[in-house]
Amino acid sequence: MFATGLGALPPLGLDEKITIYYREDTCPHFFAETCTMEPKVPTVHDQYSKFYNSFLEACMHSAAGFGCM
């Protein structure tokens, strides 16, 4: 849901590929453009645990759906 906005992948898969981008700014948050399926991954974390927690936070917020964050 975080990268596509879909609750589940279609049985035959997606028509387009998901492209992952690495953020070049200093923002520690994950971001995704669901229309173009472009998740943006932060590169500022100096510890895996911080990176992991930031990812979990993004996943938990995206589970609520559009406009519910």
Side-chain angles (χ1 to χ4, degrees), residues 7-47:
L9 293 176
L12 298 176
L14 300 168
D15 292 336
E16 299 177 36
K17 291 184 178 182
I18 295 174
T19 304
I20 297 173
Y21 290 93
Y22 296 98
R23 295 184 74 147
E24 296 180 10
D25 57 16
T26 58
C27 183
H29 304 292
F30 282 78
F31 179 76
E33 294 182 18
T34 56
C35 293
T36 55
M37 294 188 293
E38 297 176 352
K40 299 184 184 335
V41 178
T43 58
V44 299
H45 298 97
D46 57 356
Q47 296 176 4

Side-chain angles (χ1 to χ4, degrees), residues 6 10 13 20 24 32-33 39 42 48-49 51 68-69:
L6 300 172
I20 297 173
E24 296 180 10
E33 294 182 18
Y48 177 75
S49 60
F51 175 85
C68 298
M69 291 176 48

Side-chain angles (χ1 to χ4, degrees), residues 40-64:
K40 299 184 184 335
V41 178
T43 58
V44 299
H45 298 97
D46 57 356
Q47 296 176 4
Y48 177 75
S49 60
K50 292 179 182 178
F51 175 85
Y52 182 75
N53 288 335
S54 180
F55 178 70
L56 286 181
E57 182 180 338
C59 290
M60 287 189 296
H61 285 291
S62 67

